[in-house]
Amino acid sequence: MKTVLVTGGSGFIGRGLVKALLARGDRVTVLTRDVQRAQAALPGARVATWDPERPGPWFEEVDGVDGIIHLAGEPIAKRWTEPVRRQIVNSRVETTRLMGEAIGKARRKPGVFVCASAVGYYGPQPGDKVLDESAAPGEGFLADVVVRWEEAARAVEAQHGTRSVQLRIGVTIGEGGGALDKMIAPFKLFLGGPIGDGTQVISWIHVDDVVGLTLLALDNEAVRGPLNVTSPNAATGEEVARALGVVLHRPSWLRVPEAVVKLGLGDAAEIITTGQRVYPRRAEELGYTFRRADLVPALQSIFGR
């Protein structure tokens, strides 16, 4: 049994993770700004208040836990105005630095700090380029944010000796949240199809495997540094649209022009108009067995088909 501190526990990934931790007998404390919401969403977990922007009494929650899983972060799928850009940076980079400060002040420091990251680290890349954890960072706003985010996470190990893992999470699908909610809306209206020419590669992953790989990072002392959290079978936008059409029994031929997406999201449109082929090399080396490695069965598991 472990004592685990989780931020972002009431989010889409966090809910599944906290449930899995509790199911195996771990003691879980969730740090949150909305205590009532977290208590309702996470029965069985202890809930404590935190202010992710400044030091406070929540620092005491870090002292003596076996591990920390830091998932908190502002959503990025919205127009990147300057205030939004600052929120995206602060909710990732600054909260991670603050968590490092709390670890530094703990009398008994946690053994591991597992920090969310993102495949945005690699930036937009051509689909024929396979990217494992050794690949260099890409360019652009998201890549720059993720580089700084991971630097803050690695500093925890360099400065305080706590093993640090950075989860480079792909486009996450699952029931009740994540990217899928937005992806299926046009299909329900018989308006589904790929965005642009559909050649952009989407490095996706089922939420069950995000949870599985997070637990691997928490438990296995051989895991440190970046860990690609994606299915080994990335898919193009065209393939994703076709798979959704098959599972939902809807047409998947109506293309959405890139210009329409850019009109709505501005620079943030790169999230869905570009992509990268990310491969989970480290997970493969560690012997992780994916529960949902193939797209159509993964979608069928979500929709009960």
Side-chain angles (χ1 to χ4, degrees):
M1 181 182 72
K2 288 182 167 66
T3 56
V4 185
L5 187 66
V6 179
T7 72
S10 56
F12 172 53
I13 293 172
R15 293 192 303 271
L17 175 66
V18 170
K19 183 178 179 181
L21 289 167
L22 292 171
R24 70 182 202 170
D26 291 339
R27 291 185 295 176
V28 181
T29 296
V30 175
L31 290 181
T32 180
R33 287 177 288 190
D34 191 338
V35 170
Q36 288 186 331
R37 175 172 176 257
Q39 286 175 332
L42 304 168
R46 178 174 169 271
V47 177
T49 303
W50 83 315
D51 184 339
E53 297 178 358
R54 57 179 59 88
W58 67 266
F59 269 35
E60 297 176 6
E61 301 291 345
V62 171
D63 198 353
V65 299
D66 296 312
I68 298 174
I69 302 173
H70 183 40
L71 301 176
E74 182 75 14
I76 62 172
K78 53 187 173 181
R79 184 177 284 272
W80 294 339
T81 62
E82 282 308 310
V84 168
R85 286 174 185 259
R86 287 194 295 272
Q87 289 172 352
I88 289 171
V89 172
N90 290 341
S91 68
R92 289 163 172 77
V93 181
E94 297 307 321
T95 64
T96 302
R97 287 176 180 165
L98 195 58
M99 191 62 73
E101 183 181 336
I103 290 171
K105 292 183 177 181
R107 293 181 295 278
R108 185 170 81 82
K109 295 175 174 46
V112 60
F113 178 61
V114 180
C115 185
S117 180
V119 295
Y121 174 90
Y122 302 106
Q125 297 285 353
D128 60 350
K129 185 176 182 180
V130 179
L131 304 161
D132 65 15
E133 289 86 349
S134 67
E139 297 180 351
F141 170 67
L142 281 185
D144 180 61
V145 170
V146 178
V147 166
R148 293 168 62 190
W149 194 6
E150 291 194 1
E151 286 174 351
R154 286 197 303 273
V156 170
E157 183 161 3
Q159 296 172 7
H160 309 302
T162 294
R163 178 171 63 88
S164 178
V165 183
Q166 301 89 53
L167 305 173
R168 292 178 182 165
I169 303 172
V171 176
T172 304
I173 64 172
E175 185 177 359
L180 201 57
D181 280 356
K182 295 182 176 64
M183 292 166 67
I184 64 174
F187 284 86
K188 289 182 176 180
L189 299 172
F190 292 84
L191 299 172
I195 293 170
D197 64 10
T199 61
Q200 71 273 34
V201 176
I202 299 172
S203 293
W204 65 276
I205 186 165
H206 192 283
V207 67
D208 288 352
D209 284 312
V210 179
V211 171
L213 285 164
T214 303
L215 295 178
L216 177 72
L218 178 71
D219 296 338
N220 190 329
E221 294 187 1
V223 186
R224 58 181 3 105
L227 180 69
N228 286 342
V229 181
T230 60
S231 164
N233 301 309
T236 65
E238 182 92 38
E239 290 166 340
V240 170
R242 191 181 310 124
L244 281 168
V246 167
V247 173
L248 296 173
H249 303 293
R250 295 290 193 275
S252 59
W253 53 267
L254 189 62
R255 296 184 182 276
V256 180
E258 285 190 20
V260 172
V261 180
K262 290 178 180 177
L263 185 64
L265 289 176
D267 291 345
E270 75 170 61
I271 301 167
I272 52 179
T273 60
T274 66
Q276 58 280 114
R277 187 178 295 275
V278 178
Y279 189 77
R281 183 79 61 196
R282 190 74 183 104
E284 180 181 70
E285 293 170 350
L286 291 161
Y288 178 78
T289 301
F290 283 83
R291 292 184 60 190
R292 315 283 187 192
D294 297 308
L295 185 57
V296 170
L299 291 170
Q300 288 171 331
S301 74
I302 296 165
F303 295 108
R305 296 181 173 91

